[in-house]
Every structure is written in C-alpha cells, then in structure tokens.
Amino acid sequence: LEFSQEVVKEGGYDKVIIQDGSYFHAEYGAGSKSAIVGMTPKYSPAEILRLTQLMTQEIHKYSPDSEIFLECNCSYSRKAAGDNYLGFGSYENFDKYNWKGATEIAAASPYVNWVTPIGKAFANARKNYGFGSSYNHLNYTDNYHPSREGAYLKACVNYLTLFGDDFPDNPTDCELDPSDAAKLRNAARDIVYGHREDFHFNE
C-alpha cells in the first residue's frame, strides 16, 4: 500500500509490527490458492512470500537496527454469508494453517525477527476463557473483523511479544468490562509470557 511505503521510508524505527492479509498466512500454510473458498484469493503463496520479503527488506533498508514483528492473524468463521471458515472448516483448522504459514514465512524472511502469536491467543480465549459462541465475542458482527475485545487481546499479545515483560500493575481495561479485560490479558499471558523465545526467528 502506498501509505505503508511512505511510513517505511520515514525510517528510524526501533520496532516494527507488520500485518499481512487476513487469510494470507493460512493460504501459504495450505500451499495453494485452492484452499480458499468463498472469495477469490488475490495472490499465490509464492507471491505472498515475495511481498513479505520485499516489505521487510524495505523496512530493514530504512530502519537497519529495527526488530520486525510479523503478526500471525486470528481465524474467523465468515467474511460475508456462510460459516465456512473461508474453506478451512473450523477455527482449529484455520488456526493451524495460519500458524504454519506465518512461521514458514518468518523462517524464509531473514529480516523478520519475531512472530506475534495472535491466533494462538484467540484460540486460547475461545477455548478456556469463555469467548467462544455462535456469535464470537472476539469478532465484530461480521465474524471477520476484531471486536473491541479482539482488538484488546491482539494488543495484549503484541505488548508481551514486543517487551517480554508482564503487564504493569493496574493495566488499562480500555473501557471493556474489567473482568473480560482481565480474562483477555490472561489468555495472552498463557501463550506469550515466559514463552517469548518460542516466537523468535531471526536475529
């Protein structure tokens, strides 16, 4: 995107978080455009990898001392009509391919230093903290974009992965129900805190 290119060229960043297309990592993990059902994929797996490599090369060019964090996106049940998980059949299957693709892309992109395991934290929140339902609390009403709860969880995962420290005393709830915010912080903490090095790829 033109705006992203402008921001990259400003340079001087210490840490950079990049997010790919919502299904790109799952498509890459599955190895074929044909894995995606319900929409027409824009890029092939090879193109997805090439574009990530180009973006990270540009970031490194203008911010040579930066650490680059690649987000592993959360899965979702639908984009428009029909609960087909974009052809993956379930959250679990979508999550599996998202993680596979994100880690394979990171390993093949020498300037990616970390993967932020957002999808793993979403799965944990659904399974263990009561955020799974026919209307998924973690997504907006389209069951595609993150809700406020989902955005909060994503921010918690990024915080823990960026800094490696636990949340400070009295962290903000960002206007969520305090008990929900606490559960979401725990869902992120379970995955990342104390396990940060599991998500470290390239120096």
Side-chain angles (χ1 to χ4, degrees), residues 14-203:
D14 294 321
K15 297 179 187 291
V16 179
I17 300 173
I18 57 174
Q19 176 187 307
D20 217 329
S22 61
Y23 63 86
F24 286 9
H25 291 167
E27 182 197 320
Y28 188 87
S32 173
K33 279 186 175 185
S34 63
I36 306 301
V37 176
M39 64 174 295
T40 302
K42 188 171 184 179
Y43 302 111
S44 70
E47 290 170 321
I48 290 168
L49 175 61
R50 182 180 65 84
L51 291 170
T52 303
Q53 290 174 335
L54 286 173
M55 173 63 83
T56 55
Q57 286 168 12
E58 285 293 288
I59 293 168
H60 181 75
K61 176 180 176 181
Y62 291 99
S63 300
D65 298 322
S66 66
E67 289 185 293
I68 299 176
F69 295 73
L70 177 64
E71 290 187 343
C72 175
N73 281 325
C74 58
S75 58
Y76 50 92
S77 60
R78 69 179 133 209
K79 183 172 182 179
D83 279 307
N84 66 2
Y85 301 86
L86 226 62
F88 291 99
S90 66
Y91 281 122
E92 292 76 15
N93 209 37
F94 202 162
D95 288 335
K96 179 181 77 173
Y97 283 105
N98 260 336
W99 184 247
K100 181 176 184 288
T103 54
E104 288 176 350
I105 287 171
S109 303
Y111 298 121
V112 173
N113 305 109
W114 303 85
V115 172
T116 64
I118 293 162
K120 285 184 175 291
F122 268 64
N124 188 36
R126 287 195 303 263
K127 182 178 180 181
N128 297 313
Y129 289 94
F131 288 92
S133 65
S134 55
Y135 165 60
N136 188 341
H137 298 80
L138 299 176
N139 292 97
Y140 189 60
T141 52
D142 59 3
N143 273 354
Y144 170 43
H145 295 94
S147 63
R148 288 186 302 168
E149 290 79 5
Y152 185 83
L153 177 55
K154 177 177 175 178
C156 289
V157 173
N158 280 338
Y159 177 92
L160 294 172
T161 313
L162 280 166
F163 301 111
D165 295 325
D166 200 359
F167 303 110
D169 293 337
N170 303 312
T172 181
D173 296 328
C174 294
E175 300 184 3
L176 297 181
D177 180 283
S179 65
D180 283 345
K183 290 175 185 177
L184 292 166
R185 288 193 296 272
N186 283 335
R189 188 183 284 117
D190 291 345
I191 301 301
V192 185
Y193 190 58
H195 308 285
R196 182 173 182 253
E197 283 299 317
D198 293 347
F199 312 115
H200 192 186
F201 282 79
N202 301 297
E203 296 296 336

